Amino acid sequence: MGFQAGIVGLPNVGKSTLFNALTRAHAAAANYPFCTIDPNVGVVPVPDPRLDRLTAIYRPKRTVPTQMRFVDIAGLVAGASRGEGLGNQFLAHIRELDAIVEVVRLFADPNVVHVAGRVDPGADVATIDTELLLADLDTLGRRLEKLRRQAKGDRGVLPEVAYLERLEATLAAGSRPPPPAGEKEGGWLADCRLLTTKPILYVANVDESQLADPDTALVPLRAAVGDTEVIPVCAAVEAELADLDPADQRELLAAYNLAEPGLARLIRAGYRLLGLITFLTGGADEVKAWTVPANTTAPVAAGTIHSDIERGFIRAEVMRYADLDRLGSDQAVKEAGLLRLEGRDYLIEDGDVVYFRFNV
């Protein structure tokens, strides 16, 4: 599994429409708040043209892409942290995710009512940010109350109390938690499972006319989110693409001057956000993509295939995808002297084509 991301935003911003387009799961999408109550979950294959090329080279019995899990979480509203719109339930779902994909509405449509009565991306982002902060302040308050009672008989928890009090002051000032200073602080922060520690990727839901010049449309949103990455997507167009065969998809993409569907751009941005990479394995039986964090050692990467391979790791035989693509076969790569034998300290790189030698 690549990672799991929750699609969040205010009601009627196009979350479920985007979710349906990405997952083809046909979750309910309608023009009224809280159409989504229980989260919809969709697992989608990660598009990777390298898999197609390896399939042509190896002609395997099957080709298996890596996957990404999307969770469509109901629309949040002002007051969600106090339970408005079943907000506490929705916020709890976010705690289980690796990342947040926040959909922000930039399109204007009188037939799709904005919950606040106007399209204002900066205000929408501020509303979601405020609710996440307030929910985390409530979480910290309850954690501190418990620790202070514990401290009466166990002074060993006082350093954690002091850290969480500093963290509480940071959140109360409207800022996200800073990176922990050390391993202990990291553990205390992780135990709190704060929403504001989740990495966020913003998806700007634009209309069809804005696709031609998304940079202009994104100005107010980028002003609100600073350096955080923003991916412009037209959920309506993505929904249309999802129901077309590949030839018709290419024709529609060309009509909007798009090189690829929004799904591919969203997944790549998500991988960057979480520092993930893909390595590949290939042979006559199977070509498969695997997702690991950047800077993963070869034995740990082998463990994503099977724990026995990690336990009995001997070496990794590594080819760069670009070399295999250019030369067309394992044998040609070997004859060119480009097959590398790597040991336990080797850090897997994106696009590595790897065969693991092991003995158990």
Side-chain angles (χ1 to χ4, degrees), residues 89-104:
Q89 178 182 340
F90 302 158
L91 291 167
H93 295 314
I94 302 174
R95 295 189 194 281
E96 309 304 320
L97 304 169
D98 297 316
I100 296 172
V101 175
E102 184 172 334
V103 181
V104 183

PDB file of all heavy atoms in Angstrom, residues 89-104:
ATOM      1  N   GLN A  89     -17.022  12.977  15.117  1.00  0.00           N
ATOM      2  CA  GLN A  89     -16.916  11.686  14.442  1.00  0.00           C
ATOM      3  C   GLN A  89     -16.019  11.792  13.213  1.00  0.00           C
ATOM      4  O   GLN A  89     -15.164  10.942  12.965  1.00  0.00           O
ATOM      5  CB  GLN A  89     -18.309  11.213  14.034  1.00  0.00           C
ATOM      6  CG  GLN A  89     -18.339   9.902  13.269  1.00  0.00           C
ATOM      7  CD  GLN A  89     -19.751   9.525  12.844  1.00  0.00           C
ATOM      8  OE1 GLN A  89     -20.722  10.013  13.394  1.00  0.00           O
ATOM      9  NE2 GLN A  89     -19.839   8.663  11.853  1.00  0.00           N
ATOM     10  N   PHE A  90     -16.177  12.874  12.449  1.00  0.00           N
ATOM     11  CA  PHE A  90     -15.401  13.042  11.229  1.00  0.00           C
ATOM     12  C   PHE A  90     -13.930  13.288  11.540  1.00  0.00           C
ATOM     13  O   PHE A  90     -13.043  12.768  10.879  1.00  0.00           O
ATOM     14  CB  PHE A  90     -15.960  14.198  10.396  1.00  0.00           C
ATOM     15  CG  PHE A  90     -17.414  14.018  10.018  1.00  0.00           C
ATOM     16  CD1 PHE A  90     -18.185  15.117   9.690  1.00  0.00           C
ATOM     17  CD2 PHE A  90     -17.999  12.766   9.984  1.00  0.00           C
ATOM     18  CE1 PHE A  90     -19.525  14.965   9.344  1.00  0.00           C
ATOM     19  CE2 PHE A  90     -19.320  12.596   9.634  1.00  0.00           C
ATOM     20  CZ  PHE A  90     -20.092  13.699   9.319  1.00  0.00           C
ATOM     21  N   LEU A  91     -13.675  14.105  12.572  1.00  0.00           N
ATOM     22  CA  LEU A  91     -12.296  14.388  12.946  1.00  0.00           C
ATOM     23  C   LEU A  91     -11.585  13.120  13.417  1.00  0.00           C
ATOM     24  O   LEU A  91     -10.391  12.945  13.178  1.00  0.00           O
ATOM     25  CB  LEU A  91     -12.255  15.460  14.032  1.00  0.00           C
ATOM     26  CG  LEU A  91     -12.667  16.867  13.574  1.00  0.00           C
ATOM     27  CD1 LEU A  91     -12.906  17.772  14.772  1.00  0.00           C
ATOM     28  CD2 LEU A  91     -11.615  17.472  12.668  1.00  0.00           C
ATOM     29  N   ALA A  92     -12.315  12.232  14.084  1.00  0.00           N
ATOM     30  CA  ALA A  92     -11.712  10.980  14.541  1.00  0.00           C
ATOM     31  C   ALA A  92     -11.225  10.150  13.364  1.00  0.00           C
ATOM     32  O   ALA A  92     -10.186   9.483  13.450  1.00  0.00           O
ATOM     33  CB  ALA A  92     -12.716  10.191  15.375  1.00  0.00           C
ATOM     34  N   HIS A  93     -11.940  10.184  12.242  1.00  0.00           N
ATOM     35  CA  HIS A  93     -11.512   9.422  11.074  1.00  0.00           C
ATOM     36  C   HIS A  93     -10.158   9.922  10.562  1.00  0.00           C
ATOM     37  O   HIS A  93      -9.339   9.141  10.081  1.00  0.00           O
ATOM     38  CB  HIS A  93     -12.544   9.533   9.949  1.00  0.00           C
ATOM     39  CG  HIS A  93     -13.874   8.921  10.274  1.00  0.00           C
ATOM     40  ND1 HIS A  93     -14.003   7.680  10.857  1.00  0.00           N
ATOM     41  CD2 HIS A  93     -15.135   9.388  10.098  1.00  0.00           C
ATOM     42  CE1 HIS A  93     -15.286   7.405  11.015  1.00  0.00           C
ATOM     43  NE2 HIS A  93     -15.994   8.415  10.559  1.00  0.00           N
ATOM     44  N   ILE A  94      -9.923  11.241  10.642  1.00  0.00           N
ATOM     45  CA  ILE A  94      -8.690  11.822  10.115  1.00  0.00           C
ATOM     46  C   ILE A  94      -7.481  11.324  10.890  1.00  0.00           C
ATOM     47  O   ILE A  94      -6.387  11.184  10.344  1.00  0.00           O
ATOM     48  CB  ILE A  94      -8.768  13.361  10.135  1.00  0.00           C
ATOM     49  CG1 ILE A  94      -9.965  13.845   9.313  1.00  0.00           C
ATOM     50  CG2 ILE A  94      -7.488  13.984   9.591  1.00  0.00           C
ATOM     51  CD1 ILE A  94     -10.200  15.350   9.404  1.00  0.00           C
ATOM     52  N   ARG A  95      -7.652  11.032  12.178  1.00  0.00           N
ATOM     53  CA  ARG A  95      -6.522  10.613  13.011  1.00  0.00           C
ATOM     54  C   ARG A  95      -5.878   9.321  12.504  1.00  0.00           C
ATOM     55  O   ARG A  95      -4.717   9.055  12.802  1.00  0.00           O
ATOM     56  CB  ARG A  95      -6.975  10.419  14.463  1.00  0.00           C
ATOM     57  CG  ARG A  95      -7.434  11.686  15.128  1.00  0.00           C
ATOM     58  CD  ARG A  95      -7.669  11.506  16.621  1.00  0.00           C
ATOM     59  NE  ARG A  95      -8.410  12.625  17.154  1.00  0.00           N
ATOM     60  CZ  ARG A  95      -7.896  13.805  17.454  1.00  0.00           C
ATOM     61  NH1 ARG A  95      -6.597  13.994  17.263  1.00  0.00           N
ATOM     62  NH2 ARG A  95      -8.638  14.780  17.920  1.00  0.00           N
ATOM     63  N   GLU A  96      -6.616   8.517  11.760  1.00  0.00           N
ATOM     64  CA  GLU A  96      -6.106   7.226  11.322  1.00  0.00           C
ATOM     65  C   GLU A  96      -5.319   7.315  10.014  1.00  0.00           C
ATOM     66  O   GLU A  96      -4.817   6.299   9.534  1.00  0.00           O
ATOM     67  CB  GLU A  96      -7.280   6.247  11.126  1.00  0.00           C
ATOM     68  CG  GLU A  96      -8.232   6.156  12.318  1.00  0.00           C
ATOM     69  CD  GLU A  96      -7.517   5.787  13.608  1.00  0.00           C
ATOM     70  OE1 GLU A  96      -6.615   4.918  13.553  1.00  0.00           O
ATOM     71  OE2 GLU A  96      -7.840   6.375  14.654  1.00  0.00           O
ATOM     72  N   LEU A  97      -5.195   8.508   9.436  1.00  0.00           N
ATOM     73  CA  LEU A  97      -4.653   8.650   8.088  1.00  0.00           C
ATOM     74  C   LEU A  97      -3.193   9.079   8.095  1.00  0.00           C
ATOM     75  O   LEU A  97      -2.700   9.668   9.057  1.00  0.00           O
ATOM     76  CB  LEU A  97      -5.480   9.674   7.315  1.00  0.00           C
ATOM     77  CG  LEU A  97      -6.982   9.367   7.235  1.00  0.00           C
ATOM     78  CD1 LEU A  97      -7.739  10.568   6.685  1.00  0.00           C
ATOM     79  CD2 LEU A  97      -7.229   8.136   6.378  1.00  0.00           C
ATOM     80  N   ASP A  98      -2.504   8.814   6.972  1.00  0.00           N
ATOM     81  CA  ASP A  98      -1.122   9.257   6.811  1.00  0.00           C
ATOM     82  C   ASP A  98      -1.050  10.722   6.400  1.00  0.00           C
ATOM     83  O   ASP A  98      -0.101  11.423   6.746  1.00  0.00           O
ATOM     84  CB  ASP A  98      -0.417   8.418   5.736  1.00  0.00           C
ATOM     85  CG  ASP A  98      -0.318   6.955   6.121  1.00  0.00           C
ATOM     86  OD1 ASP A  98       0.023   6.673   7.283  1.00  0.00           O
ATOM     87  OD2 ASP A  98      -0.587   6.093   5.265  1.00  0.00           O
ATOM     88  N   ALA A  99      -2.027  11.173   5.620  1.00  0.00           N
ATOM     89  CA  ALA A  99      -1.983  12.527   5.078  1.00  0.00           C
ATOM     90  C   ALA A  99      -3.399  13.026   4.841  1.00  0.00           C
ATOM     91  O   ALA A  99      -4.358  12.251   4.784  1.00  0.00           O
ATOM     92  CB  ALA A  99      -1.196  12.554   3.761  1.00  0.00           C
ATOM     93  N   ILE A 100      -3.506  14.331   4.700  1.00  0.00           N
ATOM     94  CA  ILE A 100      -4.783  14.986   4.431  1.00  0.00           C
ATOM     95  C   ILE A 100      -4.730  15.591   3.038  1.00  0.00           C
ATOM     96  O   ILE A 100      -3.791  16.314   2.697  1.00  0.00           O
ATOM     97  CB  ILE A 100      -5.074  16.091   5.464  1.00  0.00           C
ATOM     98  CG1 ILE A 100      -5.243  15.492   6.864  1.00  0.00           C
ATOM     99  CG2 ILE A 100      -6.309  16.904   5.074  1.00  0.00           C
ATOM    100  CD1 ILE A 100      -5.338  16.533   7.969  1.00  0.00           C
ATOM    101  N   VAL A 101      -5.722  15.262   2.228  1.00  0.00           N
ATOM    102  CA  VAL A 101      -5.911  15.924   0.939  1.00  0.00           C
ATOM    103  C   VAL A 101      -7.098  16.864   1.119  1.00  0.00           C
ATOM    104  O   VAL A 101      -8.236  16.419   1.236  1.00  0.00           O
ATOM    105  CB  VAL A 101      -6.181  14.919  -0.192  1.00  0.00           C
ATOM    106  CG1 VAL A 101      -6.502  15.651  -1.495  1.00  0.00           C
ATOM    107  CG2 VAL A 101      -4.984  13.998  -0.382  1.00  0.00           C
ATOM    108  N   GLU A 102      -6.821  18.162   1.190  1.00  0.00           N
ATOM    109  CA  GLU A 102      -7.884  19.134   1.444  1.00  0.00           C
ATOM    110  C   GLU A 102      -8.371  19.730   0.123  1.00  0.00           C
ATOM    111  O   GLU A 102      -7.611  20.383  -0.590  1.00  0.00           O
ATOM    112  CB  GLU A 102      -7.405  20.243   2.375  1.00  0.00           C
ATOM    113  CG  GLU A 102      -8.518  21.221   2.728  1.00  0.00           C
ATOM    114  CD  GLU A 102      -8.124  22.223   3.795  1.00  0.00           C
ATOM    115  OE1 GLU A 102      -7.225  21.928   4.610  1.00  0.00           O
ATOM    116  OE2 GLU A 102      -8.712  23.328   3.809  1.00  0.00           O
ATOM    117  N   VAL A 103      -9.624  19.478  -0.192  1.00  0.00           N
ATOM    118  CA  VAL A 103     -10.225  20.003  -1.411  1.00  0.00           C
ATOM    119  C   VAL A 103     -10.806  21.377  -1.112  1.00  0.00           C
ATOM    120  O   VAL A 103     -11.599  21.544  -0.191  1.00  0.00           O
ATOM    121  CB  VAL A 103     -11.320  19.065  -1.943  1.00  0.00           C
ATOM    122  CG1 VAL A 103     -11.924  19.630  -3.228  1.00  0.00           C
ATOM    123  CG2 VAL A 103     -10.754  17.671  -2.192  1.00  0.00           C
ATOM    124  N   VAL A 104     -10.377  22.351  -1.900  1.00  0.00           N
ATOM    125  CA  VAL A 104     -10.839  23.727  -1.724  1.00  0.00           C
ATOM    126  C   VAL A 104     -11.564  24.164  -2.989  1.00  0.00           C
ATOM    127  O   VAL A 104     -11.042  23.997  -4.100  1.00  0.00           O
ATOM    128  CB  VAL A 104      -9.653  24.672  -1.428  1.00  0.00           C
ATOM    129  CG1 VAL A 104     -10.159  26.098  -1.170  1.00  0.00           C
ATOM    130  CG2 VAL A 104      -8.854  24.172  -0.230  1.00  0.00           C
TER     131      VAL A 104
END
